[in-house]
Amino acid sequence: MEITAMPEPAVSVPTSPDPLIRAADLLRGLGPEFAVWADRLDGLRQRREQGRFHLAVLGQFKRGKSTLLNALLGAPVLPTAAIPVTAVPTFVRHGTDRQIRIHFQGQREPVHEVVPDAAAARALLEQFVTETGNPHNRLGVEQVEVWWPAPVLARGVVLIDTPGVGSTFRHNTEATLNFLPQCDAALMVVSADPPITEVEVEFLKIVRSRVARMLFVLNKVDYLRPDDLEATLSFLRKVLTESVGWPEPVRIWCVSARQGLEARERGDEQGWRRSGLADLEHSLADLFASEKAAILDQAIRRKAADVLEEALMRLRLAMQALTMPLDDLERRMDQLEQAIAEAQRLRQAAADLLAGDHRRTRELLEAEAERLRVAARGHFEGVIQAFRQRDPDCTDEEVRAAMAEAVPGFFEHHAGRWTEKISAHVTEVLRPHQRRADELIGVVRKAAARLFDIPYRAPECAEAFELVRDPYWVTHRWASTLSPLPPEWFEFLLPKSWRERRQQRRWRRQVAELVMTNVENLRWSLVQSVDTTFRRFASALDERLAETIAATRGAIQAALAERTRQDAEVATQRERLAKAIADIEHLGAALVAGLSDARSALGSSAS
Ligand SMILES: Nc1nc2c(ncn2[C@@H]2O[C@H](COP(=O)(O)OP(=O)(O)OP(=O)(O)O)[C@@H](O)[C@H]2O)c(=O)[nH]1
Ligand SMILES: [Mg+2]
């Protein structure tokens, strides 16, 4: 590894206004051995991108959710109609080109199209997301992404149109509830006709604990005269505080999405304001700009400063290695090798502990699966029994229909609970491993700092374990009907009580099968995600340790090679190193400047 490959200009002319890009450019300019840190900074930049603000628009069907989103987008992109429409969640993101991507369950490749305008977008979406174009979601659409150049989406906001809750598809409501904790905020749309229903009240009661921020919108106010509006609002407030238990004061935005959209299309500013949407749009902009983006940006800057600190360590080591008497250098190098060997031993012990926790997590998962099997069997046998008690002469067909209705809701609910429990467990279990991993890397870095008299600063941001990914709407295909096993021919000849007993045995067998299939479906997807999480964690740890070792050793070995050259060349190299150190210190300080409780500056430079 040759440090002489360092081209000077790239170091001194960082141009991008984004400090992360500037820092990555600067590191790349220092030579290929600095690429790992430049790549890490690129990774941080991606994380910042992923930290988009996800706002889900919720409500009972036909409240005007899609119309409201269209108004905010300024074009009738999403399908709307007087009959229930949105059957699949649609994620609308910012994009300079207008594009649509339809994701399917299973292996089917997504459909991806660039569309010229709103009419074309809507026509395409109608085929896939609406009850009319895709009845009962026969096409197996999982979710839809739309990219649109609307200002409301700038700065990383994602708006999500969701299927209306409380329709006959109860599992839709459950799926919405499972989805909510992944979102940053939700906008609940109600309308004046009628002001709020029992279904909405029940939904809101459950939603309360699952959503970080909630905004209430009363839509279709164009239907109301001013005094009716006042009465509707006070009724709504009363229900929200008294029946739902929402804390006072409840702010409700009154809008007419339809008039807002029309005004937008005409370019009528006054009409836009009159529709109430200008006010809602401002409040949303404030919300997007607050909390999340700012907090994420701070965390990312701190992590970036840590990355620079690691690069600095390498430069300082190289500087020291160029300065020290040779025999001294070799002696210290031996000692460093001992510290590296110690870290590798600890790594093995850490790997064993991690494997143990992985195994125990799998055991917990299996125990939960068994519990769910028992609960589900009891539940569905109960469903059948209750049904038969109500109607002793019910036909097999009717029992099958009752089951088909009961299955998705039950499993969707348990899927949510189970996933939540397992991911909380995994996060908890991995935390001490994370600490151990940080200590392990610290062993090498501290030894290098001590041996070569350079400042050591522990990373400010522990690499807190994070599974960052966009909210994801999970659509399981639940096996929900009992197979139509006809009774055997001789059963008709048996006395009624015998026949019924045989029939019950038959149902019970089928319930057991149905439960096995659905629990297995869930168990399998959880096992996959647990295994992937542990695998990724272990390999990230290995990579970080290997990087740290390579960087520490590499700096000294490169300097050792330099030492065989002429004094004049060594002096030039030292000058370059000193300049690179100063540049990185400067950029690191700029990254953390102004952060709350920021450290004063990066450690002082080497001799
Ligand atoms: N008068 C009036 N009608 C509206 C308004 N907003 C929406 N509508 C109408 O209400 C109907 C339903 O609107 P959608 O936007 O499709 O409702 P949705 O909540 O998305 O419905 P689902 O997708 O089925 O859950 C459509 O006929 C809209 O034109 C409004 O502000 N005023
Ligand atoms: Mg809709």
Side-chain angles (χ1 to χ4, degrees), residues 278-295:
D279 190 21
L280 176 65
E281 196 184 29
H282 283 144
S283 305
L284 287 176
D286 288 347
L287 181 67
F288 301 151
S290 69
E291 306 142 39
K292 186 177 178 184
I295 292 168

Side-chain angles (χ1 to χ4, degrees), residues 115-171:
V115 287
D117 53 25
R122 192 178 170 119
L124 182 67
L125 290 171
E126 268 164 7
Q127 295 172 38
F128 293 101
V129 307
T130 66
E131 265 309 313
T132 325
N134 177 14
H136 298 302
N137 193 13
R138 291 220 181 92
L139 301 172
V141 177
E142 191 152 61
Q143 65 185 42
V144 174
E145 287 177 284
V146 174
W147 285 266
W148 208 259
V152 67
L153 302 170
R155 300 171 82 213
V157 173
V158 182
L159 299 174
I160 309 159
D161 193 12
T162 66
V165 296
S167 61
T168 45
F169 313 113
R170 193 182 132 214
H171 62 283

Side-chain angles (χ1 to χ4, degrees), residues 61 94 139 161 242 374 376 392 430 450 477 576:
F61 51 91
H94 190 265
L139 301 172
D161 193 12
E242 289 176 14
V374 173
L430 285 181
R450 182 169 37 81
R477 270 188 185 278
R576 286 185 180 166

Side-chain angles (χ1 to χ4, degrees), residues 19-20 38 112 145 186 247 416 485 496:
L20 289 191
H112 190 137
E145 287 177 284
L485 265 191
K496 187 163 183 264

Side-chain angles (χ1 to χ4, degrees), residues 10 17 118 139 165 167-168 196 213 220 335 376 443 445 518 560:
L139 301 172
V165 296
S167 61
T168 45
I196 189 160
R213 281 293 294 270
K220 308 195 189 183
Q335 287 176 345
V443 167
R445 297 184 60 203
N518 285 317
L560 265 174

Side-chain angles (χ1 to χ4, degrees), residues 61-67 81 84-86 219-220 222 257-258:
F61 51 91
K62 300 286 69 106
R63 293 306 204 169
K65 300 179 291 298
S66 305
T67 310
V85 171
T86 313
N219 186 29
K220 308 195 189 183
D222 50 294
R258 179 185 280 175

Side-chain angles (χ1 to χ4, degrees), residues 438-455:
D438 290 337
E439 279 165 18
L440 202 62
I441 287 156
V443 167
V444 178
R445 297 184 60 203
K446 270 186 213 151
R450 182 169 37 81
L451 287 167
F452 292 85
D453 301 323
I454 54 178

